[in-house]
Amino acid sequence: MKEQILRYVSRDYPWKDRFHFLPQVDSTNDYLKKLAAEGAPHGTVALSDHQTGGHGRRGRSFLSPPGVGLYLSILLRPECPPTRLMHLTCAAGVAMCNAIENSAGFRPGIKWTNDIVYGKRKLGGILTELRLNSQGLVDYAIVGIGINCCQSAQDFPPEIREVAGSLAMVTGQEVDRFRVAAAELDALYDMSVRLLPEQEALLSQYRKDCITIGQEVSLVRGDEIRHGRALDVDGEGALVVLFPDGHTEAVNSGEVSVRGMYGYV
Ligand code: BTN
């Protein structure tokens, strides 16, 4: 799969020698953490056809069967304080919308902060993990992305069949995973270059792609559920919510999860 993917990346993609293809792995994020500890450089990518322990945010598992999806993680070493990376998951979301548009021919949306969606279905998700060094600066960031490419509705287990989707379910056509993977590599390289100097431009595109803005939302923090209306995404990627008593709050994705009032999106 490695050669077929690299055949489609743009000619000036600079990290071909940092690309690791793994037929099967527990989790590409966890694999990359081990490489990072051994000193792997900025731009190292692990991509797998099959994860046996793929995971998402809040310890949830991310179903990663063979032959139908793409499970990819990229290691970034931006040498900055973590406060400069508050928008990283948003930037990765925009990169995935670009990659899917360029390879599958449609632009999905983003459910704040990290779900790639189309209509009422989740096509993929993003898991960002940071490690700091002893000076409190970023040692590395790992951005892990799972995309459902070729599944039909019956391929998903009954408990997520109504809310999960794939690129092929949207297009109604076969999806070339090599092209999608190559588009992901190109889009993530572009993101890495723009990440610090173009934070506001990336967030401005994120606001266009984010389907949560303008929606009635439920904010879940532990046992507490509050309802409000999502007004905006701020300059650091936090969701600005208006509550019925008239006050607004910028909520952080680490603190709360957001649900649409009437279903998953
Ligand atoms: C979510 O939906 O909460 C995020 C899912 C992220 C899944 C990807 S697949 C590649 C990488 N490896 C993992 O174990 N997780 C991420």
Side-chain angles (χ1 to χ4, degrees):
M1 235 171 125
K2 180 174 174 168
E3 280 67 37
Q4 284 121 316
I5 292 167
L6 290 181
R7 196 160 22 117
Y8 289 123
V9 293
S10 67
R11 211 176 316 144
D12 47 1
Y13 181 73
W15 292 328
K16 286 186 183 172
D17 59 343
R18 299 176 189 187
F19 179 68
H20 300 242
F21 175 73
L22 310 151
Q24 181 181 307
V25 70
D26 50 356
S27 151
T28 53
N29 268 35
D30 296 347
Y31 178 86
L32 217 43
K33 280 179 209 163
K34 289 179 206 135
L35 291 193
E38 294 162 10
H42 182 65
T44 302
V45 165
L47 185 143
S48 185
D49 178 49
H50 178 200
Q51 292 185 127
T52 52
H55 49 91
R57 290 177 55 220
R58 298 171 210 292
R60 295 191 191 117
S61 64
F62 186 82
L63 211 60
S64 313
V68 288
L70 288 169
Y71 318 109
L72 176 154
S73 302
I74 184 165
L75 174 72
L76 301 171
R77 295 192 185 270
E79 293 180 1
C80 64
T83 47
R84 290 287 286 111
L85 294 186
M86 302 293 279
H87 65 303
L88 176 55
T89 302
C90 295
V94 169
M96 284 311 97
C97 290
N98 292 341
I100 291 169
E101 184 168 26
N102 290 337
S103 58
F106 72 95
R107 191 167 187 92
I110 304 169
K111 173 182 171 285
W112 184 85
T113 45
N114 67 324
D115 284 348
I116 305 298
V117 299
Y118 192 83
K120 295 199 180 309
R121 292 177 185 272
K122 171 168 170 167
L123 308 181
I126 300 168
L127 173 66
T128 305
E129 300 185 88
L130 288 191
R131 187 186 157 91
L132 306 186
N133 64 23
S134 52
Q135 287 100 56
L137 299 175
V138 175
D139 178 12
Y140 64 74
I142 291 177
V143 181
I145 298 150
I147 299 193
N148 304 325
C149 294
C150 307
Q151 290 94 333
S152 59
Q154 301 85 274
D155 292 328
F156 294 107
E159 59 276 17
I160 58 168
R161 200 166 286 158
E162 296 301 312
V163 293
S166 70
L167 304 186
M169 284 166 65
V170 176
T171 62
Q173 288 174 352
E174 268 187 32
V175 166
D176 182 339
R177 283 190 304 152
F178 305 140
R179 282 189 191 275
V180 178
E184 284 190 77
L185 295 179
D186 280 328
L188 288 167
Y189 173 65
D190 176 69
M191 177 202 79
S192 75
V193 172
R194 301 176 60 204
L195 188 62
L196 297 180
E198 294 185 45
Q199 174 163 350
E200 195 38 55
L202 291 168
L203 282 166
S204 163
Q205 182 59 50
Y206 183 86
R207 291 181 190 104
K208 291 181 189 147
D209 290 324
C210 181
I211 54 117
T212 309
I213 295 173
Q215 274 196 14
E216 303 293 325
V217 291
S218 305
L219 302 179
V220 185
R221 182 191 276 130
D223 290 339
E224 179 200 42
I225 302 185
R226 296 185 297 161
H227 302 297
R229 174 182 284 271
L231 294 184
D232 200 359
V233 168
D234 75 10
E236 297 190 324
L239 189 69
V240 181
V241 179
L242 172 66
F243 291 95
D245 67 2
H247 89 283
T248 59
E249 267 177 50
V251 298
N252 191 292
S253 61
E255 298 168 47
V256 296
S257 76
V258 166
R259 306 236 143 241
M261 292 275 267
Y262 309 107
Y264 157 70
V265 290

